[in-house]
Amino acid sequence: DSMLFTETISVGFDVDAKYQVSKVELFVDGDFIGSDSTSPYVIQFDQSGVITKNETHEFTATVYDIYYNRNSVVKSITFN
């Protein structure tokens, strides 16, 4: 997938979980970016020093429920 390169990036999460979600965490290329514990789950960050234009980056979203179960989804994105 590809996206336009902007200074501020906002990532939203549509979470469907068996139990109540306690938080969602976002990692880019393995580095922790932020978390949100309130629905709708959205994490905004300044891309400087995180995203390099015309390179593919790995975004990982990890969802935790109230019983400490977790599940992660990985998506590779190239910013043009």
Side-chain angles (χ1 to χ4, degrees):
D1 290 336
S2 65
M3 297 181 71
L4 291 176
F5 191 76
T6 60
E7 287 185 26
T8 301
I9 296 174
S10 180
V11 181
F13 305 92
D14 184 17
V15 178
D16 183 22
K18 183 176 180 178
Y19 302 110
Q20 181 180 348
V21 172
S22 62
K23 69 177 174 179
V24 177
E25 294 180 335
L26 175 65
F27 298 83
V28 176
D29 298 330
D31 295 325
F32 178 75
I33 298 300
S35 65
D36 191 355
S37 59
T38 306
S39 180
Y41 305 100
V42 177
I43 299 171
Q44 289 187 328
F45 65 99
D46 181 349
Q47 60 73 25
S48 60
V50 178
I51 303 297
T52 305
K53 195 173 182 178
N54 297 320
E55 289 187 13
T56 300
H57 297 277
E58 186 176 273
F59 282 64
T60 303
T62 302
V63 177
Y64 296 84
D65 68 21
I66 59 173
Y67 298 109
Y68 304 104
N69 297 309
R70 69 178 178 189
N71 191 28
S72 296
V73 176
V74 178
K75 185 77 170 178
S76 294
I77 301 173
T78 302
F79 289 82
N80 300 317

